[in-house]
Each structure stands twice: as C-alpha cells, then as structure tokens.
Amino acid sequence: MHAPNRQLMTYWLQELQQKRWEYCNGLDMVKWDGRTSPTPGDCSQGLVARGAPDFLYPHPNASAEKARNVLAVDAAPGELVGEQAASQPAPGPPNSINFSLKQWGAELRNSMSSFRPGRGHDGRKSVFYTHEEWELLDPSPKDLEESATLEERRRQAPEGNRGHDRVVQEPPQQRGPGPRGDAGGAGRGGASRASDPDAQRQLQSQQEELERLRKDLSSQKELVRLLQQTVRSSQYDKYFASSRLCDGAAQDTLALLHQKDDQILGLARQLDRLGLEKESLQQEVRTLKAKVGELSEQLGMLMETIRAKDEVIIKLSRQLSEGEGRAASPAPAPGSPTASRDQQELDRLKDNLQGYKTQNKFLNKEILELSALRRNAERRERDLMAKYASLEAKLCQVESKYLILLQEMQAPVCAEEQGPAREVIAQLLADALQVEGPEQPEQAEYDIYGFRTVPEDDEEERLVAKVRALDLRGLSLAENQEVSTGVKWENYLAGTMTREMARSPELKGLVRAGIPHEHRSKVWRWCVDLHTRKLREGAAPGYFAGLLKAALGKQNPASQQIELDLLRTLPNNRHYAGPASEGIQQLRNVLLAFSWRNPDIGYCQGLNRLVAVALLYLEQEDAFWCLVAIVEVFMPRDYYTKTLLGSQVDQRVFRDLMGEKLPRLHAHLEQHKVDYTLITFNWFLVVFVDSVVSDVLFRIWDSFLYEGPKVIFRFALALFKYKEEEILKLQDSMSIFKYLRYFTRTILDARKLIGIAFGDLNPFPLRQIRNRRALHLEKVRLELTELEAIREDFLRERDASPDKGALVSDEEDT
C-alpha cells in the first residue's frame, strides 16, 4: 500500500512507532526495575579523569519521548492527516529527484556524529528515507533490534517480494520519453526524419543523452543503497556499543577519550612544527627569489657582454675575410725582388725568435739559482741571529756573575789594608756600572713602564740593578728564539676585527702567557668593562665626571689622607715622581671620585697603588671603574675597610693552602716560627705592587684582571715554590725572615713563574677558596668581637678607677 502524500506517510510511521515503543517500553521497565542503574555519584574518578564531565545513563522512556517529539509533524491548514487522507488517491511520482550527493554526505556525517565519545545517548540520530527527502530521527533501542530483524527477513525473502520495499525507499525515475515512445515516434515520422539529417543527429544525441541519464540514475540508486547499508550497520554497531557502555565500559571510553586528546595535542604540536617549517621554507623561497633576481641581472649583463663580443667577432670576421680577399690577389713571382726581401725579413725574425728563447731559458735558470742562494742566505742569517742571541744571553749571564764576584771581592770578611788589588777591583766595578753606548741616561735608567732601573745614590743597589738588567736581557733573548707571543696576539686580534672579544679558552691561554705592551691597554679596558658592565649600565651618563665634580666642590674627609699619600705612591716611577708629574693629578681625581662613590671605605692605604698601576694603561674613567671592579667585584666585603677583615681572612686561607700545596716549606717555616703572613699581607692588599719586578708585575695583573682574585693565591704560592729550595737551606729565623723580605725581586723569569702558577699548582678550585673564606670569616669575627669586649672592659675599668684623678704627670708638678 502506498501513502498518498508525505504527511500521511509520516503519520502512519508515527502511529506504528508509538504502538511499537509502548510495547517495547513495557518490556524494558521490567528489565530496568530488576537492576540498579549507576548514578553519576557512584563513578569513582582517578587523578587523570577527575576533571572530566560526568557520564549520564538516560532511561529508555526519555529517549522514546524525545523521538516522539522529533517525529511530531504539524499539519498545515487544508492538509489531510490520518484516516481522512487514506481515501485520497495516491499521487503520481514526483517530477524531479530531490536529493544530491551533498545531502547524502551531510546526512551520513549527522548519523556518524552520534558515535563520537562523550555525547551520551541523547546525541544519537538515525536516518529514515522517504520519497522526497531524509529526516533525522531518534529511534529507541528496541526499534533498532526490530529494524535488524526486518533487514534479516528482507534479505532471506525471495527476489520477487522486494519490489514493494523499493517503491518506498527508491526515488522514482524522472519523467521523460521512454525507449518505446521514442521508437514509435521514429516509426511514424520516419520518412520525414530520414529526409532531415539534422533531425536525425538531434534524435541520436537525445537518445545518447537519455542512455547516459539512465546510467547515472542507476549508479546513484546503487550509491543510495550502499549508503543505506552503511548507515544501518553503523546504527547497529552503535546500539551494541552503547549497550556495552551501559554495562560498565565507561573507563574504556574515558581511556579512549584521553588517547584521542593526546593524539589531538600531538597533531597540534606537529601542526605548529610544520608551520614553523613552512615559515622557514617561505623565508628560504624569498631568499632564493632574491638570488634568482640577482642571477637574472647577472645573466642580463652577461647576455649584453656576449652580444658585444658577438659584434666584435662579426667585425673581426669581416676584417679577416677582407684580408683573405686581399691575400688572394696574385702573389709576386719567386724570383722578384719583393719576394727575396720578404724571405730575408722572415729569416731574420726567425733568428731573433730563437735567440730570445735561448736567452729566456738562461734567465729562468739564473733566477732559480739566485732564489736558492737567497733562501740559503736567509737560513744562515736566522741561524746566526739565533746563535748571536744565545751568545749574548750567555754574555749577560757571565757579566752578571762577574759583577757579583766583584762585589764579593770588594767587601771581604776579614778587613785588609788598601792595596793594588783593591784599587783594580774598584776600577773594574766603576767600568761595569757605566752606561754602555751612546744611550741617553733617561733611556738607560727607566724601563718601558717608567720605573727606575738604576738607583741614584746607592752604589751597591746600582750593582744589583745592573745584574738584574743583565739577567732580564738574557731571558728576553732566550724567549725571542721561540715563537713570539706577539705573533699569536696579532693573529687573535686580527680575527676580532669583525666581532667583539669574548671569553674563550684561547683568550685565557693568551692572557696567561702575557699581553704584549702595545695591546695591553685595549685588553685591560675590555676586562674592566666585562666585570663592571652591569654597574655601568645602572649608572647615569657622565657618572664619573659628576662624582669628581661633587668631590672637588665639597670637603671630603678622605681628601687630606689622599693628598698625603699621592707622592708616596710610586716614587720610583717617573709618572708619579713629583707634584707636577702627569700621573699625580689623574691619581688624585680617581681616588676622590671613588671616595665619594663608596663612603663606607672612602680611602684606604693601598688603593693609591692599585690606581697608579691602572693609570699606566687606562684613562681616568677606565681606571676608576678598574678600582671599582677590584674593590666591589673581585675582593670580598670589608677587604679595604678600617678593620681589614677580608684581608685577615685571606691570610688564614693562604696559610691553609701553603700546608696543602707546599707542605715541606710550610713545616720548615712553622718549625722556625716565621710568620710569613707579615710579608704576604701586602701582596694581597696591593696585588704585588712594589713586591716584584715590573715585567712580572704586569704579567700577574694581566691574569688578575681577566680571571679575578684566585690569581693572587696562585702567584703567591708560585713565588714560594720558585725559591723553595733556597729557603729550605736557611736554618735560622732571622735569615729566613730577611730573605723573605726581598727574595721576590730576585725572580726575573716570568715565564717559569707562570708555568708554576698555572701548571704545577693545579688543581686549584675557586669553590675551595670560597668555603675556606666562609669558615675563617666566622672565626675572625668572633675573635674581633672578643677583642672589642676586652677593650671596652678595659676602658670601663679605667674610667671607674678611683685613682684616675691622682695620676699626675711630671710636667704638671713642675
């Protein structure tokens, strides 16, 4: 039986489903009453699923009620529904097919969306097909079971009984002329059409078009059938999956949800990564496009060049053809005078060419021989220079020993009367102390740093200075025979022309080996900026000038002590020798500015020597920041205060290191009760200024400004290790202490000292020094507190003594 219209068909389906749902719900209520359905509160959640939404288990009646609401169709005015419409004749098939592939895809997505986890049973929808369109309905579980049963029966039914079902589900064919009608029409009007070839072709094309439409219609019917089967199988799977979910598979669903979320996050990260790759590839494409543009321009230029060369070739070809044309003219006869002259000229040119070839071979051979002779001469010159330097170094050593011998002979142990031998020795000493060559006294008495090398009055000191100068000369000549450090520095600085200097093992090794005099100013300035960069960035522009102006404009408590120490800073250096010297005013400015910056310290004796050494290679402002780096960055707190707490702590740390690194020497000094910290205290306070010779001093400062205060401990230990054997030979405390006061100025080989400091004393961790500083700091503070308490008790007792007023000096009695 066919429904006369869509409204009636929907009404019939509603009544049929209503009866079926009432029957099914009656059966389901018995099943649901016999068991307890889980509630949201009964589901325990772990740490991972604690934030997930609750999973609801709807009652079958709710799903049925929702299905009835969805299927409810409002009858428009004038339309017949139910039994009234049953008497109406069934309408003919529609004129057009009201579905498309897009509608099929949308309906299929709607039906499959109900399988997405987390939406419960309320989101499920099935597809029912009518003559004109599909509607999304919500069937009950029993409906799905009956639908499955009907589908099985339909498959088992014979082929002849399926026609009626296809009447409802398959859309009608489009009205049009059938094959028989076309054939009959062709039979009736065959005579007229045969005479018209255009009509014949038109009829043939219409038949082909009809056949093609039939094929498309059959393929679309087949597609609809396949889609229906897919939807039904999906609905069945959904029903059984939902049944299993209601029986306790919520945890599996949650696990699947987390797995899907992880996959989504992974895909999102992959999408971000691909986006970055896309941007990089786009940048690369833009770069390649720019390069292609440049290459295109170059190609254009090359094409123009080729075009110009082609023109030149064409021109030359024309000239060549013209020359060949002229050459094709009749040549002179062999016996003519012109031919004989040409032959003679040709022979003469051949002879000249042969002579030039011979001369060229001779000159090439001569050049090779001269080059070999020049290389041999240069090699012999280098060998001779090395031999000369070695002999000169040995000569310096011999002269040094000779002067020492003369000094010993001049002052014998037993006093003797003046004799001829004594006069000869005195004359030899006078001749040895004279300045050799036509050098000026200033050039001979001062080194490149401005320090005086020869004392003015003391003859014995002049002799020692002469010996020291000879030894230094011998060491410098020996160092020149190896690869110069200046060459290595030149190569390194050449590589920093396009980039800034940075900390690196290569730079560290070069600094430890020593900075050349011509590059020391640049490297020191970089080291100071490296350690004070944050302080400079926090300071205002013109910070140093502002401090100096404020210090000069107001009375500073430290200014008086600064003025007293200016001329006592480096009296043996010509830059600080007198009040009018160039370095005195700069030294005053830097010390005043620092006292204004750091009023807690103000000024401490020792700061003047640090600034004086810095000013030898730095400008005033850079020397000021160098002092800031030493006092506020390198050294511990309270290092230059009135109590010198940090300096005392470092002396105790150094004593511990002496016991570890030089145990024999430490035990020897402890045995003779020699307090060597009285000597080393000044080393740490002023970083070896006035304690070692100038060459060694600036090598120490190179490493100190680059690496920090750990270098002081290294070189202090290295100085003792350098002279360890000589100190061990001394067996009384007086001679040991006297030797410790001046032995550092006898160490001249800076390269050997650096090797001991950075090679023999390793390992030398800075963490160990920091830990020992913290340990001894507490001890020293406790001792200072006890001393302060003793002093206060003494002052209190003295003030409270009754005999205080009776104490009268002798001056008051008189």
Side-chain angles (χ1 to χ4, degrees):
M1 180 177 179
H2 295 278
N5 54 23
R6 177 178 176 275
Q7 297 289 102
L8 185 58
M9 183 192 65
T10 305
Y11 177 75
W12 287 351
L13 289 175
Q14 288 178 355
E15 293 298 326
L16 179 61
Q17 290 180 350
Q18 178 69 24
K19 298 297 183 182
R20 184 173 56 194
W21 287 343
E22 290 177 358
Y23 174 74
C24 295
N25 290 337
L27 296 178
D28 290 338
M29 289 300 296
V30 177
K31 297 179 182 179
W32 280 83
D33 293 340
R35 64 191 180 199
T36 304
S37 60
T39 60
D42 296 333
C43 297
S44 61
Q45 296 180 344
L47 293 174
V48 178
R50 187 167 293 171
D54 294 333
F55 193 85
L56 301 178
Y57 295 88
H59 196 274
N61 291 333
S63 177
E65 184 66 26
K66 184 177 180 180
R68 288 197 300 272
N69 294 334
V70 174
L71 280 171
V73 180
D74 296 334
E79 293 184 351
L80 299 179
V81 181
E83 297 177 356
Q84 297 177 3
S87 61
Q88 297 297 326
N95 295 331
S96 61
I97 302 173
N98 191 18
F99 62 90
S100 63
L101 292 176
K102 183 182 295 185
Q103 184 179 3
W104 296 340
E107 298 295 341
L108 182 58
R109 285 194 298 272
N110 291 333
S111 63
M112 294 299 292
S113 64
S114 63
F115 291 98
R116 297 178 183 174
R119 296 191 180 185
H121 297 285
D122 295 339
R124 299 177 298 171
K125 292 192 177 181
S126 301
V127 182
F128 289 84
Y129 306 102
T130 63
H131 280 284
E132 297 180 354
E133 62 181 356
W134 300 347
E135 293 181 0
L136 300 178
L137 304 178
D138 188 2
S140 64
K142 293 298 182 180
D143 187 15
L144 290 175
E145 292 180 357
E146 291 183 3
S147 299
T149 306
L150 291 175
E151 182 65 24
E152 292 295 332
R153 291 176 182 176
R154 192 175 296 139
R155 291 177 182 173
Q156 296 174 2
E159 184 68 21
N161 296 333
R162 300 181 185 179
H164 179 72
D165 296 335
R166 286 197 297 269
V167 171
V168 179
Q169 294 182 359
E170 294 178 359
Q173 298 179 359
Q174 186 176 1
R175 287 181 178 271
R180 293 180 181 180
D182 293 340
R188 286 191 300 268
S192 61
R193 290 190 184 94
S195 61
D196 191 356
D198 294 337
Q200 186 76 16
R201 288 193 297 271
Q202 184 177 5
L203 178 61
Q204 186 178 359
S205 63
Q206 290 179 356
Q207 290 178 352
E208 294 176 355
E209 181 69 20
L210 179 61
E211 187 66 24
R212 186 180 61 79
L213 292 174
R214 287 174 180 172
K215 291 180 180 180
D216 293 343
L217 182 60
S218 61
S219 62
Q220 291 176 358
K221 287 180 179 180
E222 183 67 19
L223 179 60
V224 169
R225 188 179 64 79
L226 293 175
L227 292 174
Q228 289 173 352
Q229 293 178 359
T230 303
V231 170
R232 290 193 192 97
S233 62
S234 301
Q235 290 173 345
Y236 300 151
D237 294 340
K238 181 186 72 170
Y239 172 71
F240 292 117
S242 63
S243 300
R244 289 192 298 271
L245 185 61
C246 293
D247 292 339
Q251 297 297 331
D252 297 338
T253 305
L254 291 177
L256 181 60
L257 285 174
H258 291 304
Q259 182 180 1
K260 294 299 181 182
D261 291 338
D262 295 339
Q263 292 178 359
I264 290 172
L265 293 176
L267 291 175
R269 288 192 294 268
Q270 186 177 4
L271 181 61
D272 295 337
R273 186 174 67 256
L274 293 176
L276 295 177
E277 293 180 0
K278 177 184 175 183
E279 293 179 359
S280 63
L281 291 175
Q282 289 178 351
Q283 183 65 26
E284 186 177 357
V285 166
R286 288 192 291 269
T287 305
L288 292 175
K289 286 183 179 180
K291 291 183 178 179
V292 168
E294 295 177 359
L295 292 176
S296 300
E297 295 178 358
Q298 296 179 2
L299 180 61
M301 296 173 61
L302 292 175
M303 292 297 293
E304 293 180 358
T305 305
I306 292 172
R307 193 179 301 108
K309 289 183 178 180
D310 290 340
E311 294 177 357
V312 173
I313 290 172
I314 293 172
K315 183 177 180 181
L316 293 176
S317 299
R318 291 176 180 174
Q319 294 179 359
L320 180 61
S321 60
E322 292 176 358
E324 290 178 352
R326 288 195 298 269
S329 59
S336 61
T338 305
S340 61
R341 286 197 300 272
D342 292 343
Q343 187 64 31
Q344 292 176 0
E345 183 67 20
L346 182 60
D347 294 339
R348 186 180 64 80
L349 293 175
K350 288 180 178 181
D351 294 338
N352 292 338
L353 179 61
Q354 188 64 30
Y356 287 139
K357 287 182 178 180
T358 305
Q359 185 179 3
N360 186 30
K361 291 180 181 180
F362 172 77
L363 292 176
N364 288 336
K365 183 178 180 181
E366 188 70 16
I367 290 172
L368 293 175
E369 292 179 356
L370 291 175
S371 298
L373 293 173
R374 182 179 59 83
R375 287 194 296 270
N376 293 334
E378 290 178 352
R379 185 175 62 255
R380 287 195 301 270
E381 183 180 1
R382 288 195 298 269
D383 295 340
L384 290 174
M385 289 297 296
K387 187 176 180 181
Y388 168 75
S390 177
L391 291 175
E392 189 174 0
K394 291 181 179 179
L395 177 62
C396 292
Q397 295 176 2
V398 171
E399 289 182 357
S400 175
K401 295 177 181 178
Y402 170 70
L403 291 175
I404 295 174
L405 178 61
L406 291 178
Q407 185 180 9
E408 294 294 333
M409 294 179 65
Q410 186 182 16
V413 178
C414 299
E416 297 181 358
E417 297 180 357
Q418 294 291 336
R422 183 72 58 188
E423 295 179 358
V424 172
I425 293 173
Q427 184 62 36
L428 290 175
L429 282 173
D431 295 339
L433 292 176
Q434 289 181 356
V435 179
E436 299 179 359
E439 297 178 352
Q440 298 180 2
E442 184 180 2
Q443 296 177 350
E445 294 179 358
Y446 293 94
D447 58 11
I448 59 174
Y449 312 106
F451 290 97
R452 180 180 291 275
T453 58
V454 180
E456 297 179 357
D457 302 328
D458 195 346
E459 184 176 350
E460 184 176 358
E461 289 295 330
R462 293 183 63 189
L463 182 62
V464 174
K466 182 68 174 180
V467 172
R468 188 184 302 120
L470 290 172
D471 291 338
L472 289 173
R473 176 65 177 168
L475 291 172
S476 63
L477 290 172
E479 290 180 358
N480 290 334
Q481 297 179 19
E482 300 180 1
V483 179
S484 176
T485 56
V487 176
K488 297 179 181 179
W489 272 101
E490 290 289 344
N491 296 334
Y492 177 80
L493 294 177
T496 60
M497 297 297 292
T498 56
R499 58 181 175 85
E500 294 184 358
M501 294 175 62
R503 284 180 174 269
S504 64
E506 180 186 5
L507 180 59
K508 187 176 183 180
L510 289 175
V511 170
R512 286 183 173 183
I515 305 173
H517 175 70
E518 58 272 14
H519 302 307
R520 183 167 284 134
S521 177
K522 176 180 178 181
V523 179
W524 279 19
R525 186 166 54 251
W526 176 81
C527 291
V528 171
D529 181 70
L530 176 68
H531 295 296
T532 60
R533 187 168 299 165
K534 293 183 179 180
L535 298 176
R536 287 193 175 191
E537 291 175 356
Y543 180 70
F544 172 74
L547 290 176
L548 180 59
K549 183 178 180 181
L552 294 175
K554 298 180 181 179
Q555 185 66 25
N556 192 343
S559 59
Q560 184 177 1
Q561 186 63 38
I562 290 174
E563 291 294 333
L564 292 175
D565 290 343
L566 286 177
L567 296 179
R568 295 183 293 186
T569 302
L570 293 178
N572 59 338
N573 191 291
R574 61 181 176 181
H575 300 291
Y576 305 98
S581 299
E582 181 182 2
I584 293 296
Q585 183 60 39
Q586 296 182 5
L587 180 62
R588 180 187 293 110
N589 294 339
V590 173
L591 292 175
L592 288 175
F594 181 79
S595 65
W596 200 261
R597 167 187 168 84
N598 195 335
D600 292 338
I601 297 176
Y603 172 75
C604 173
Q605 288 186 349
L607 298 181
N608 55 335
R609 297 185 179 183
L610 297 175
V611 176
V613 173
L615 284 172
L616 293 177
Y617 284 99
L618 301 174
E619 296 295 333
Q620 292 187 57
E621 186 171 358
D622 294 327
F624 166 78
W625 287 111
C626 179
L627 183 61
V628 171
I630 295 172
V631 177
E632 300 181 10
V633 180
F634 287 167
M635 298 303 187
R637 192 176 180 181
D638 298 331
Y639 210 89
Y640 294 97
T641 56
K642 295 180 179 180
T643 59
L644 298 176
L645 179 62
S647 301
Q648 297 182 46
V649 170
D650 274 1
Q651 295 308 306
R652 300 195 179 192
V653 174
F654 179 69
R655 184 184 291 273
D656 293 344
L657 294 175
M658 280 282 290
E660 293 179 5
K661 302 294 184 180
L662 303 174
R664 285 199 308 150
L665 182 59
H666 178 72
H668 180 70
L669 296 175
E670 290 293 330
Q671 178 183 357
H672 293 281
K673 296 181 173 25
V674 176
D675 188 6
Y676 51 87
T677 58
L678 298 176
I679 305 297
T680 59
F681 185 86
N682 195 53
W683 297 359
F684 284 75
L685 195 65
V686 297
V687 195
F688 299 99
V689 178
D690 276 345
S691 298
V692 294
V693 296
S694 56
D695 288 333
V696 176
L697 173 66
F698 287 100
R699 295 284 187 91
I700 294 174
W701 270 66
D702 292 341
S703 301
F704 171 68
L705 291 179
Y706 182 80
E707 300 184 42
K710 185 175 70 171
V711 171
I712 304 177
F713 290 95
R714 282 184 176 272
F715 278 100
L717 292 171
L719 289 172
F720 279 104
K721 187 172 180 59
Y722 195 104
K723 295 291 185 178
E724 182 178 10
E725 298 300 328
E726 286 79 355
I727 298 174
L728 290 175
K729 294 177 182 179
L730 302 175
Q731 297 300 324
D732 61 278
S733 59
M734 186 62 68
S735 59
I736 293 174
F737 193 81
K738 182 179 180 181
Y739 182 77
L740 293 180
R741 292 183 60 186
Y742 73 89
F743 83 100
T744 55
R745 302 196 65 84
T746 63
I747 297 176
L748 307 177
D749 194 349
R751 185 172 55 176
K752 180 180 177 181
L753 182 67
I754 291 171
I756 295 173
F758 295 108
D760 298 345
L761 297 177
N762 285 332
F764 210 89
L766 182 60
R767 182 178 61 257
Q768 180 183 8
I769 296 177
R770 290 175 178 171
N771 294 337
R772 290 175 182 261
R773 275 177 170 171
L775 176 63
H776 288 292
L777 181 61
E778 296 298 328
K779 295 181 180 180
V780 173
R781 282 180 175 172
L782 183 60
E783 293 175 2
L784 291 178
T785 304
E786 293 177 355
L787 290 175
E788 184 65 22
I790 293 173
R791 189 179 69 85
E792 290 179 356
D793 292 342
F794 173 75
L795 293 177
R796 194 180 303 109
E797 291 177 0
R798 190 186 65 178
D799 294 338
S801 176
D803 299 333
K804 179 181 178 182
L807 296 177
V808 180
S809 64
D810 297 337
E811 295 180 358
E812 293 179 355
D813 292 340
T814 59

